[in-house]
Amino acid sequence: MPLLSKVVVMAPATTANLGPGFDVFGMALEYPYDKVTITKADDGIKIEVYGTAKEGIPTDPSKNTAGVVAEHILKEFSLKVGLVIKIEKGVRPGIGLGSSAASAAAVAFGLNHMFDLKLSYEQLVRFSAKGEIASAGFEHADNVSAAIYGDFVIIKSYNPFEIIHLKAPPSLGVCVAVPKLPALPKKTEKARAVLPKMVSMDKLTYNVGHAASMAVGFATGNIKLIGNAMSDAVVEPARAFMIPGYNNVKDMALKAGAYGVAISGAGPSMIAVIDENSSAPSKVLKAMEEGFKAAGVSAEVFYTKPGKGVTLLEAE
Ligand code: HSE
């Protein structure tokens, strides 16, 4: 039986891949975020969705990422209780900012507290990743790992999960541009279907070099190196056609002072990394907006920073 009858959890938006780290790199963002309240009920799982980003979020627990995670945990620990999961959705779905991962991570983390399950962070990632099947058709864990740990993560291994967690440099800033494109149902699944099945050795060498450099960039707090390493020879070239303005946004953000630009997760949002000490966020945001505009697409832009992982806000 639960030790707590209610928990309230914050779970952040996340950006995945950061260029060369497909399914391996993730970073939590300070803004936006989901707030999830889990309350004990008599039986069954009920999902309620509120908030500015609630559009398009299913409330059927078997289709909702939070519901899928809750079902897995209740089953694995033979917990015979019902739950009401209220999701105040801040992370819009379908834009590449880890919307499904935020709710999934919040539920895994929240239930761990509620039932005192003593799950390790790796186990929380394993449960949260189950939720990604509901939205992406595959248990990719880059977004959920970043949502659980916060800051920057490297998934060293999927089986078993081994995750390396690194703090982001304090002056690292993230400019985000979200193009206004027609909603693409099952977007991540589709964006994965266009990827090559085989990769040539020269592309492998390119990506290993850049990914290793990015890890060193985070380990040493070198924002210029992090940005320069944000380049991918495999996944972005295959997905670029899905993002009108991709090349413009990249070129213009780099010219405006960004150190690196990448597709955020499966897109279509793009992120640009800056050092606050040497570049103005507003200049880079404007360049990204104009980059999309030159391709005939309007975009919402905002500035954020690397942020903390899931956090318990209330418990009773
Ligand atoms: N690594 C995943 C992908 C992230 O690029 O498909 C999806 O958010």
Side-chain angles (χ1 to χ4, degrees), residues 134-148:
S135 70
F138 174 75
E139 284 179 60
H140 69 89
D142 39 7
N143 292 99
V144 291
S145 300
I148 297 274

Side-chain angles (χ1 to χ4, degrees), residues 16-17 22-23 140 142-143 188 192 239 265-266:
N17 304 343
F22 177 71
D23 282 358
H140 69 89
D142 39 7
N143 292 99
T188 302
R192 296 178 80 87
R239 285 178 171 172

Side-chain angles (χ1 to χ4, degrees), residues 23 81 96 203 258:
D23 282 358
V81 288
K203 289 181 177 165

Side-chain angles (χ1 to χ4, degrees), residues 298-316:
S298 63
E300 177 201 332
V301 293
F302 64 90
Y303 183 65
T304 186
K305 304 261 303 166
K308 61 185 176 192
V310 274
T311 305
L312 188 67
L313 300 177
E314 282 173 48
E316 58 188 57

